[in-house]
Each structure stands twice: as structure tokens, then as C-alpha cells.
Amino acid sequence: MKLLKYLILSIVLSGVTACNIEKFEEEVITNIPDDNTVDAGLAVFSANIGNTTFIADNPVATVIDNAINITGIKTSTGELITLTVVGNTVGTYVLGVTENQVEVNSASYVTNLDGSGNTWIAATDFVTPQGEIEIVEIDLENETISGTFAFTGHSANGLEPLEFTRGLFTNISFASGLVTSDDTNTFSAMVDGNNFVQESINAAQTTLSTTSTINIVATKTSLETISLTFDASIVPGDYTFEGLSVPIAQYNLSLTESNLGEGTFTITSHDTENRRIAGTFSFTASPVLDTGASFEITEGRFDVSYL
């Protein structure tokens, strides 16, 4: 169960931070017909969760070199469903199975992103399929993505599995990469003494339910990331990373290789009016499983504007 918790944390933080949480301008449907048909041009992200219907009021997506991430957020409750596939083309992607222990297509459901709720993910042993996502259309001209999904979600907290059926995402606007929120953003770190050379820096403030956090993600093409999460009201000073409670540090080699950090960081400045934060950090990133290597993240620095 510990693996499920960390996978959800990794996927959700990366997925939500990769997208601008501000609502898109297109019209979002709020009532899904029984036959799953919607009018052309309307954006929709919905699913049946057991006997209830989930309808997102803020669906967002990204399509990068080798990954598609689609998130349906219900801002009134803090619920969200996150879909991630390793690939960038139309087709059917099986969930919860990996052959190389690195890449896995995933789906997760979180009842409250502030950590007070419960979580489910479409994975058990990474051998048994738990559902599928079908990417039906990627409209490059209009930058929208459409498809369907269904999966069995397994709880990270020992609760009964949930069935997610009639999953639908239609005309969801996507960003074509992890774009920096400001050209002046800087981020640097050493991983076991080697330079971590990121290809993108993304920072965003997310507010779901009563919790607001700043998430910074530095990403390499291989989906290798260093991510930092702070309370949005944090002030200059010295702090510690201690695990799953905010503040959080992670070093992830891939979607399934997550390492949680313990260490220290300093916020050197935080301009809440202009939404810019700077600081330094170092931490030991330990594997979420009992086996595997740990990594020393040192000489970390960031100075970023966040959306």
C-alpha cells in the first residue's frame, strides 16, 4: 500500500503542476447524457464512480514527447481523477502493467488533494491489467484531446476497490509541453554529484478545498523529475523535508520509480504579490520500496515565478 501512496503523490503533483489550474475559456458540460454523447465543441471530463457520477468543472491536459496527462478537477470538493499514458498518439493503453519496471500507464482518484481524503490507483502488482484508456483523437490544430477510460481503483488506505466506468474526456484543451511560467525561472541541482540538467521548469499555485500549495517541478525528457511542494503562505526561513506532509521533496526517475526526500531547505525570498519564490535545498531521496538505491540531491537552487 505504501507504493500506491507514493505513486499517487508523484502522478498527481506532476500532473496538476504541469497544467495551469486556471479554468480554460471553453464551455464545460455539467450534465452527461446516458449515451455518453455531447455536443461538438463542448469540453467534458466525467466518469461513474460506483453508483455516483463525477463531473469535472476544470479539466486540463498536457501532451509532451512521450507522455499524455489528463486531469479532471472538481474544484468544489477537491476531488480529481488523473490519467497518464506513456505515449503521444491515439490508441488504447492498458493500465497498471509494466514490462520494464519503469514505464506504466496509470489512473488515480483522490477525494481531497490536501491529504485529508482517500486515494485509489489503477495498479496492484504491475502485471495484472486494471483497465484501459483509449485516446480517440488528438486535435493538433485546436489543441484538444478526446477519449474514454475505465478502470478498477485500489485504495492506498485499505478501503474497498472502486469501479470507474463510462469514463469520458472530450475536447480537453492541452498544453503541448511543460512550459516555464516565466523565462527568468532558474533551477539547478546535483544528483549524486552529477548536474541535473532539466529541459523544463514549471511552477504553479494550486488551491483545492482549503489547502493551497506551490508546486515546482523540474523535468527531463525521460520524465525524470525533481519536485518541491511548499505551503503557499510560506515565509523566508529554514525548514525541513520529512516525508509525505507538506513541505515535500521528491526525486523521480520515472512514473514508477519515486524517491521521497528528507533534508533541509531555505526560502530566501517569497513575493506573494508578484508570485515569485526563491530558495536553496538539499535532501536524501530514498526509494518508496524496501529495495533500491538512494540519491543525494545537493546544491539545489530555485528562483521561479508561479502561475
Side-chain angles (χ1 to χ4, degrees), residues 22 204-205 271-277 304-307:
E22 296 297 326
Q205 179 176 336
D271 184 343
T272 56
E273 181 177 354
N274 294 305
R275 301 171 75 86
R276 191 168 187 91
I277 190 168
V304 300
S305 293
Y306 53 90
L307 299 175

Side-chain angles (χ1 to χ4, degrees), residues 240-243 249 259-264 282-286 296-297:
T240 59
F241 298 117
E242 295 181 347
N259 298 275
L260 194 67
E262 292 189 359
T264 62
S282 63
F283 59 90
T284 299
S286 301
E296 294 297 327
I297 314 300

Side-chain angles (χ1 to χ4, degrees), residues 33-269:
D34 290 339
D35 58 3
N36 257 11
T37 59
V38 296
D39 293 337
L42 291 180
V44 56
F45 186 113
S46 69
N48 285 348
I49 306 175
N51 295 322
T52 65
T53 300
F54 172 96
I55 301 177
D57 55 19
N58 190 12
V60 289
T62 56
V63 178
I64 59 176
D65 287 344
N66 196 39
I68 295 172
N69 185 281
I70 307 160
T71 300
I73 305 171
K74 189 174 182 179
T75 55
S76 61
T77 61
E79 294 174 84
L80 71 160
I81 296 175
T82 300
L83 310 174
T84 301
V85 302
V86 181
N88 57 12
T89 62
V90 298
T92 300
Y93 296 84
V94 178
L95 293 168
V97 177
T98 178
E99 295 181 357
N100 56 13
Q101 299 300 312
V102 175
E103 297 177 339
V104 61
N105 306 310
S106 63
S108 64
Y109 168 65
V110 180
T111 60
N112 199 326
L113 194 59
D114 67 7
S116 63
N118 298 306
T119 53
W120 284 261
I121 190 169
T124 52
D125 54 10
F126 298 102
V127 175
T128 308
Q130 297 300 317
E132 64 182 29
I133 299 169
E134 183 179 5
I135 306 295
V136 176
E137 180 185 42
I138 302 175
D139 186 338
L140 296 178
E141 180 178 355
N142 296 306
E143 294 192 325
T144 60
I145 188 167
S146 301
T148 62
F149 64 94
F151 65 93
T152 300
H154 299 273
S155 171
N157 301 317
L159 302 176
E160 290 295 318
L162 288 177
E163 294 297 328
F164 295 77
T165 59
R166 292 185 66 227
L168 178 69
F169 53 93
T170 301
N171 301 320
I172 307 302
S173 293
F174 66 81
S176 57
L178 299 178
V179 183
T180 61
S181 57
D182 190 302
D183 290 340
T184 64
N185 284 355
T186 60
F187 187 102
S188 62
M190 304 287 285
V191 178
D192 284 347
N194 299 310
N195 281 321
F196 177 88
V197 182
Q198 74 280 344
E199 296 194 1
S200 66
I201 310 165
N202 188 265
Q205 179 176 336
T206 63
T207 301
L208 295 176
S209 187
T210 60
T211 299
S212 184
T213 58
I214 297 168
N215 307 308
I216 302 170
V217 180
T219 306
K220 296 175 69 172
T221 301
S222 64
L223 298 184
E224 182 180 356
T225 64
I226 295 176
S227 62
L228 309 172
T229 302
F230 312 118
D231 190 284
S233 62
I234 197 167
V235 298
D238 298 325
Y239 301 89
T240 59
F241 298 117
E242 295 181 347
L244 272 174
S245 299
V246 175
I248 300 169
Q250 284 186 279
Y251 170 61
N252 300 325
L253 292 172
S254 68
L255 289 176
T256 59
E257 293 184 283
S258 297
N259 298 275
L260 194 67
E262 292 189 359
T264 62
F265 68 97
T266 299
I267 300 298
T268 55
S269 65

Side-chain angles (χ1 to χ4, degrees), residues 11-28:
I11 293 167
V12 170
L13 288 182
S14 296
V16 173
T17 306
C19 307
N20 187 344
I21 303 303
E22 296 297 326
K23 291 186 179 181
F24 288 106
E25 294 300 323
E26 74 266 18
E27 186 176 357
V28 177

